[in-house]
Amino acid sequence: MQPHRLTREDARRVAIGAQLLSAARPAGIVETVYGLTVVNIEPTAAIMPSADHILWSRLGWPYASADLQRAFEVERDLFEWGGFYRVMSDLPLLRHEMSARPAYAEAREWLAANARFRRDVRDRLRAEGPLHAAEVPDTAQVPWRSTGWTNNRNASQMLEILVTTGEVAVSARDAKGRLFDLAERVYPDDLPDVSAQDAARERSERRLAAFGIARPKGIRQPFEPVDVGTVGETAVVEGVEGEWRVDASALGLLDSFAPRTALVSPFDRLVFDRDRLRDLFGFEYLLEMYKPAAKRRWGYFALPILHGDRFVGKLDAKADRKAGVLRVAAIHEDLPFGATVAADVDAEIRALAQWLGLEVTGLADG
């Protein structure tokens, strides 16, 4: 079969449509998470937490944070693993990966050396869970060593590892953070068994459906890859070197693509793979929150601005909830906006502020 030959515009539109960022909005939270495969849970909230931002950018005004909390904590339609929300029906696809965790020898050795501590944690959760990490006694025989903030944080590190192995699950979140419980009290016990080979293939197929178009191979990621292997069909993109894989059903999105403007989270999967972002969109982006202020070009938490099938700039803004305002420091134009684009971007900023319950400052008439 000859490869599909796509223009960059075609490839961008396939990617945007697959990521549910065209004018045709999804119907609800679970449908959206299923379509995206994963939703990042990074809690940094310069504007709002990433999960809220990602879902709001798809659903718009019908979205409410309380609905996400209910889907996760009450209805159990969603679960948390690897820093992402996922639909519960995808849990069987992760069972084999969970059983192979921890992935690194250091963590495996630490877990083996703390067999009694592991039992203590499970017993405490069984008796008193759900619990915050701070409520779980540290009875480690061997402390966790790290040059980072996790050094000697033994209870939290044990819980993190046991979540990855599927023994413990995140049951809920509150103002103090995550609440942990035994997985058997969070995950359903009637999910089907899926072989390791079938699970790996289905995960790749689901990932390609969410991306629309992706590379067969990519930079290794710890919990959710950005490449798709051999699933889908071969494609070449005009002016871009190398092979792509495309979801054949996503090609149908080209006939119905309807553009809109969106302020995208820095943790959005549409911008997560910087190489893909550069190849298909010609867009340079870097989250600069970890850079010294003097070295930032676009701002602490600049939001990529999507207009139609192009990223046209970055919004440098911050939600000041105490003052009740969304402060716009700058709008960086990668492509000259023109009157129509400027008006659409202005309207989207105001819609975001209104949804957040904030007034806008820093716009021309704001």
Side-chain angles (χ1 to χ4, degrees):
M1 180 178 177
Q2 291 295 313
H4 297 279
R5 298 191 174 276
L6 305 175
T7 65
R8 284 193 182 186
E9 179 184 71
D10 289 339
R12 291 195 299 268
R13 293 186 172 196
V14 165
I16 292 165
Q19 277 286 292
L20 310 178
L21 278 167
S22 65
R25 294 180 184 266
I29 290 172
V30 177
E31 177 187 329
T32 303
V33 178
Y34 182 86
L36 299 178
T37 305
V38 293
V39 168
N40 185 286
I41 315 177
E42 166 62 43
T44 301
I47 303 293
M48 56 179 158
S50 65
D52 286 332
H53 192 154
I54 291 165
L55 292 168
W56 178 81
S57 64
R58 272 73 179 182
L59 294 163
W61 278 97
Y63 174 68
S65 301
D67 294 337
L68 172 61
Q69 184 177 17
R70 183 169 58 253
F72 171 51
E73 299 178 9
V74 180
E75 297 170 356
R76 299 297 188 198
D77 291 324
L78 307 176
F79 72 103
E80 176 181 333
W81 191 78
F84 299 97
Y85 286 124
R86 306 165 187 265
V87 290
M88 191 64 79
S89 58
D90 278 353
L91 179 59
L93 307 182
L94 292 167
R95 289 296 197 188
H96 297 281
E97 183 172 342
M98 287 176 171
S99 67
R101 296 276 173 173
Y104 299 105
E106 179 185 18
R108 290 196 296 271
E109 292 167 3
W110 184 78
L111 199 59
N114 282 288
R116 190 182 68 199
F117 180 31
R118 184 179 190 171
R119 290 194 299 272
D120 289 347
V121 170
R122 290 173 57 92
D123 289 346
R124 180 59 64 107
L125 291 177
R126 182 173 289 107
E128 301 179 20
L131 296 173
H132 296 100
E135 299 171 306
V136 175
D138 179 358
T139 61
Q141 293 83 58
V142 178
W144 176 261
R145 294 304 182 198
S146 168
T147 57
W149 69 272
T150 61
N151 186 59
N152 206 33
R153 293 177 178 264
N154 301 310
S156 61
Q157 192 63 25
M158 179 61 76
L159 288 165
E160 294 284 357
I161 291 175
L162 296 185
V163 169
T164 69
T165 65
E167 298 170 62
V168 169
V170 180
S171 176
R173 285 174 173 262
D174 63 16
K176 295 181 180 180
R178 290 173 297 173
L179 286 152
F180 298 89
D181 205 348
L182 295 177
E184 63 204 51
R185 296 205 290 234
V186 177
Y187 298 153
D189 58 6
D190 58 349
L191 293 172
D193 290 327
V194 182
S195 71
Q197 182 177 2
D198 288 347
R201 181 170 185 84
E202 187 170 344
R203 284 188 69 192
S204 292
E205 289 172 344
R206 296 263 291 108
R207 194 177 312 122
L208 180 58
F211 284 142
I213 182 169
R215 293 287 193 183
K217 295 182 180 180
I219 298 174
R220 184 176 175 84
Q221 301 295 330
F223 285 97
E224 191 62 30
V226 295
D227 52 31
V228 296
T230 61
V231 301
E233 298 178 0
T234 306
V236 294
V237 179
E238 181 182 351
V240 180
E241 294 184 357
E243 177 188 341
W244 295 83
R245 306 297 293 184
V246 66
D247 178 21
S249 63
L251 294 174
L253 298 170
L254 293 173
D255 298 328
S256 58
F257 181 82
R260 66 180 176 93
T261 302
L263 305 173
V264 177
S265 167
F267 300 102
D268 200 290
R269 298 291 278 181
L270 186 60
V271 300
F272 185 82
D273 184 342
R274 306 295 195 242
D275 292 338
R276 178 175 179 265
L277 187 63
R278 180 199 62 231
D279 289 343
L280 298 186
F281 292 88
F283 186 65
E284 182 187 5
Y285 180 72
L286 179 68
L287 179 59
E288 297 180 305
M289 62 188 288
Y290 305 109
K291 281 188 172 186
K295 294 186 177 181
R296 295 173 189 149
R297 289 181 289 170
W298 307 308
Y300 173 80
F301 202 75
L303 308 183
I305 302 172
L306 180 68
H307 180 76
D309 62 16
R310 300 298 302 269
F311 282 102
V312 296
K314 293 105 176 168
L315 169 67
D316 181 9
K318 183 177 181 180
D320 185 343
R321 290 172 176 80
K322 187 174 182 180
V325 297
L326 177 67
R327 301 187 189 279
V328 175
I331 299 174
H332 303 280
E333 298 183 20
D334 284 46
L335 301 174
F337 278 12
T340 299
V341 176
D344 289 347
V345 172
D346 183 284
E348 193 66 11
I349 294 170
R350 294 182 187 281
L352 172 60
Q354 189 176 1
W355 186 84
L356 292 169
L358 305 174
E359 297 292 329
V360 181
T361 64
L363 292 180
D365 57 342

